[in-house]
């Protein structure tokens, strides 16, 4: 999907959105959802927000801000993303319309697993059925989220060398990135 995104947008950027809070606090726990596609499209809108999104949009929510009964008892078990998904996209996580992955930030550590979001199911998803993100997904998520945690910046453009290192040498990706040094 990275090659597809580079072809469409000319570069590969990740964006973090933090609804209802302004900065990272190491004493808080966070839920994160990575949106890759909606209805098979790399560019999308979410009915709960006035702005749109695109491939590799990471929504981060502070779990302490969630209302009572919104799965606090399942935090740490990879089962919190149903509330976050619905609140962010306006859709149930079982709708089959969103290609997404889930994770968390707990005690300052980025965790890349979700029992509900990481298995395959949505159009254009290539999941392997495991609750853990792939090693490439983890590398991109950790780079973007660490960048946000350290700097407060919500956008990161990934370098071509980073993309090649973590996506391998698949023909489509290589031809897309050939000759590009900075995306």
């Amino acid at each position: 999907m990275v090659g597809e995104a580079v072809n469409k947008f000319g570069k590969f950027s990740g964006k973090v959105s933090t609804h209802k809070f302004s900065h990272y606090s190491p004493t808080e726990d966070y839920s994160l959802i990575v949106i890759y596609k909606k209805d098979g499209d790399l560019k999308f809108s979410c009915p709960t927000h006035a702005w749109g999104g695109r491939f590799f949009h990471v929504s981060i929510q502070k779990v302490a801000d969630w209302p009572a009964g919104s799965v606090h008892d399942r935090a740490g078990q990879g089962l919190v993303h149903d509330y976050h998904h619905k609140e962010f996209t306006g859709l149930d996580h079982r709708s089959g319309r969103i290609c997404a992955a889930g994770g968390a930030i707990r005690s300052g550590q980025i965790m890349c697993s979700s029992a509900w979001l990481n298995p395959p199911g949505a159009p254009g998803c290539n999941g392997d059925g495991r609750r853990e993100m792939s090693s490439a997904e983890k590398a991109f998520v950790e780079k973007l989220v660490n960048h946000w945690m350290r700097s407060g910046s919500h956008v990161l453009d990934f370098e071509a060398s980073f993309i090649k290192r973590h996506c391998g040498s698949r023909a489509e990706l290589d031809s897309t990135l050939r000759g590009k040094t900075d995306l």
Side-chain angles (χ1 to χ4, degrees), residues 2 5-6 9 11-17 33-36 53-60 140-141 143-145 147-148 153-159 162-163 183:
V2 170
V6 171
F9 303 119
K11 65 179 180 176
F12 178 29
S13 299
K15 179 179 180 182
V16 169
S17 65
I33 293 179
V34 183
I35 308 290
Y36 298 110
R54 68 183 225 176
F55 179 80
F56 210 69
H57 186 115
V58 179
S59 169
I60 299 178
F140 286 99
V141 168
K143 184 172 176 90
L144 175 62
V145 173
H147 176 72
W148 167 74
S153 176
H154 290 253
V155 177
L156 177 67
D157 293 335
F158 292 96
E159 307 88 16
F162 183 85
I163 296 168
L183 301 175

Side-chain angles (χ1 to χ4, degrees), residues 42 71 88 99-100:
L42 295 170
V71 301
F88 183 70
C99 180

Side-chain angles (χ1 to χ4, degrees), residues 3-171:
E4 185 181 354
V6 171
N7 280 332
K8 182 168 180 114
F9 303 119
K11 65 179 180 176
F12 178 29
S13 299
K15 179 179 180 182
V16 169
S17 65
T18 54
H19 187 61
K20 300 181 184 173
F21 65 97
S22 59
H23 64 278
Y24 169 72
S25 170
T27 61
E28 298 286 349
D29 289 336
Y30 301 89
S31 169
L32 64 89
I33 293 179
V34 183
I35 308 290
Y36 298 110
K37 294 182 176 182
K38 178 182 175 190
D39 297 325
D41 292 326
L42 295 170
K43 197 166 183 175
F44 49 85
S45 63
C46 292
T48 59
H49 302 285
W51 40 264
R54 68 183 225 176
F55 179 80
F56 210 69
H57 186 115
V58 179
S59 169
I60 299 178
Q61 292 186 357
K62 190 167 26 170
V63 177
D65 290 345
W66 290 356
S70 54
V71 301
H72 287 281
D73 56 327
R74 295 180 288 183
Q77 300 172 31
L79 301 170
V80 299
H81 295 104
D82 56 339
Y83 172 80
H84 187 164
H85 189 285
K86 176 78 172 179
E87 199 279 330
F88 183 70
T89 68
L91 299 168
D92 186 275
H93 72 280
R94 296 167 293 207
S95 71
R97 296 181 58 197
I98 303 288
C99 180
I105 306 169
R106 300 193 76 214
S107 303
Q109 298 297 311
I110 300 168
M111 305 167 83
C112 297
S113 68
S114 172
W116 288 336
L117 294 182
N118 295 347
C125 279
N126 299 321
D128 59 9
R130 298 179 336 170
R131 67 186 284 162
E132 290 287 322
M133 290 181 195
S134 70
S135 60
E137 281 180 293
K138 286 180 190 178
F140 286 99
V141 168
E142 288 172 354
K143 184 172 176 90
L144 175 62
V145 173
N146 273 317
H147 176 72
W148 167 74
M149 289 166 67
R150 284 191 314 272
S151 71
S153 176
H154 290 253
V155 177
L156 177 67
D157 293 335
F158 292 96
E159 307 88 16
S161 60
F162 183 85
I163 296 168
K164 284 183 180 181
R165 185 168 56 252
H166 293 287
C167 291
S169 60
R170 294 179 299 230

